[in-house]
Amino acid sequence: RRSTVATDMASAIVSALHVLALALGLSSVYMRGRALKGRLDRDGLPRLFAADNVWGIAAALWIVTGLLRAFGGLEKGSQFYLQSPLFWIKMALFVAIIILEIRPMITFIRWRRALGRGEVPDTSGARTLYLVNHVEMALVVVIVFVASFMARGFGMR
């Protein structure tokens, strides 16, 4: 890979945005969990939805910046990532989060629609969503450790 000032700057910006997505994601999924544990009424639901929106933005930012880092000619190059067993573990963990997120996403869409119609949503499944939320949060933390080891070449030796 040929390094230029522009490429290095783009790499640094994309890397910073990737880390910022981590900060946004962890804090928002934590706040979403707190909202799920609290009262899910006219005051509590907007807090839940705001945290959920930020969680979604963080996920989108992770995906875009991750793709740019791995396949956009930045960082170590796609060959490094594709040959790393830890990269595949990281991707499997990320897919697990996406699969786990299907239920909360569908549920929160239903709750938003019910509120939009002036109805009170059925929030009886909040306890299960709280547990799913915390599993997702734990998986994000594991991803951070896997990524850190991957960046240092572990699993490639």
Side-chain angles (χ1 to χ4, degrees):
R1 163 176 102 87
R2 201 169 146 204
S3 181
T4 66
V5 172
T7 301
D8 290 345
M9 188 175 293
S11 178
I13 291 169
V14 170
S15 179
L17 290 172
H18 202 66
V19 173
L20 179 60
L22 170 65
L24 284 173
L26 272 178
S27 61
S28 64
V29 78
Y30 172 79
M31 294 306 294
R32 187 174 82 168
R34 284 186 53 133
L36 282 165
K37 190 87 169 173
R39 295 180 56 117
L40 295 173
D41 54 14
R42 292 262 178 217
D43 294 328
L45 284 170
R47 282 191 290 274
L48 171 70
F49 297 151
D52 185 59
N53 288 342
V54 176
W55 176 232
I57 291 166
L61 190 55
W62 267 320
I63 291 168
V64 170
T65 58
L67 288 171
L68 285 171
R69 291 180 82 190
F71 305 110
L74 307 174
E75 306 295 328
K76 295 173 171 71
S78 58
Q79 185 175 6
F80 170 83
Y81 292 99
L82 294 174
Q83 290 182 352
S84 170
L86 292 177
F87 173 77
W88 294 107
I89 291 171
K90 186 177 155 183
M91 291 301 97
L93 293 167
F94 192 73
V95 168
I97 291 171
I98 291 170
I99 290 168
L100 285 169
E101 185 60 24
I102 292 170
R103 183 171 180 184
M105 183 173 42
I106 290 169
T107 301
F108 299 152
I109 289 169
R110 287 183 182 147
W111 290 1
R112 285 180 167 119
R113 285 183 180 159
L115 279 179
R117 292 188 303 266
E119 301 169 3
V120 177
D122 174 13
T123 60
S124 61
R127 175 77 179 142
T128 301
L129 296 174
Y130 174 82
L131 294 172
V132 168
N133 189 77
H134 277 64
V135 170
E136 290 178 11
M137 191 166 43
L139 290 174
V140 169
V141 171
V142 172
I143 286 172
V144 171
F145 279 91
V146 172
S148 182
F149 278 85
M150 180 186 73
R152 283 148 188 83
F154 284 87
M156 299 291 285
R157 298 180 183 130

